Amino acid sequence: MKWFDDFFEKKSRQVAQSASRRSTLARIGSVMVGTAFMLPVLPFDRIGSNAHAATKPSQDDTSCDYWRYCALDGFLCTCCGGSISSCPPGTEVSKVTWVGTCRNPADGRDYLISYNDCCGATMCGQCFCNKNERERPGYRLGTHNDINWCMANNSNTYHCTVAAIVGIGDKG
Ligand code: ABN
């Protein structure tokens, strides 16, 4: 087996002479960095539920995909005995609210939507929806939707959320 040892000794010496440890590490490093940059651009299937919703807007106001709910965080009152703009019996509409802007796919126009909470009954628990278009973090209170807007009512108990149209954007 001496020839075997000699052969590998010779090869090892050749590699050691032609490639320093530093250049080998540099080469491995560049391969790793290259991989990290390339992986995000590799093609993958982007067709998900949102893409599907974009092509076929929901007409169903008990579905979280309905266009008016684009910035709603809460339980849909349409699943809780109310309607899209009125609270269920036994609850009262919040005195303060947060307002978002959603585009209606039917006419392509932007609408100002008031997301009032309905207060005075325990959490509805049906049709939870959490959409956050143009929503901002909590330190900007007026643009944050993860808040109990029953805070100014006699009862602070949150039940569900309505989505009433309160304004319409210019044709554009
Ligand atoms: N605006 C809905 C809600 C209620 C309670 C807590 C978080 C969000």
Side-chain angles (χ1 to χ4, degrees):
M1 293 296 278
K2 185 165 178 337
W3 66 268
F4 186 82
D5 290 341
D6 290 346
F7 175 79
F8 278 100
E9 185 187 338
K10 197 169 154 206
K11 283 287 166 208
S12 303
R13 285 186 191 285
Q14 277 174 357
V15 169
Q17 274 160 10
S18 65
S20 69
R21 198 181 308 169
R22 198 176 292 173
S23 73
T24 306
L25 286 175
R27 208 170 299 172
I28 292 171
S30 63
V31 168
M32 287 169 76
V33 170
T35 308
F37 276 108
M38 284 307 291
L39 273 181
V41 297
L42 289 176
F44 61 93
D45 184 5
R46 290 177 191 271
I47 299 173
S49 55
N50 280 347
H52 180 69
T55 53
K56 192 172 177 293
S58 174
Q59 305 288 323
D60 176 7
D61 66 9
T62 63
S63 159
C64 188
D65 288 331
Y66 186 62
W67 69 273
R68 272 202 224 179
Y69 301 146
C70 78
L72 183 150
D73 180 358
F75 299 106
L76 304 181
C77 286
T78 48
C79 299
C80 305
S83 76
I84 194 160
S85 55
S86 63
C87 287
T91 63
E92 62 170 20
V93 69
S94 63
K95 294 191 167 123
V96 287
T97 182
W98 114 272
V99 175
T101 303
C102 302
R103 181 155 296 174
N104 183 351
D107 60 9
R109 294 185 71 177
D110 292 330
Y111 289 80
L112 210 56
I113 311 291
S114 180
Y115 296 108
N116 290 75
D117 289 341
C118 296
C119 319
T122 52
M123 230 182 283
C124 162
Q126 302 294 314
C127 302
F128 177 68
C129 182
N130 187 10
K131 294 282 182 78
N132 301 297
E133 278 185 32
R134 284 171 284 278
E135 195 243 4
R136 291 292 177 267
Y139 57 81
R140 298 183 59 182
L141 195 63
T143 55
H144 185 62
N145 66 2
D146 193 12
I147 286 174
N148 181 356
W149 294 108
C150 296
M151 62 175 93
N153 286 55
N154 289 335
S155 169
N156 301 151
T157 311
Y158 167 74
H159 187 63
C160 64
T161 307
V162 293
I165 294 176
V166 292
I168 183 166
D170 293 336
K171 275 189 188 158

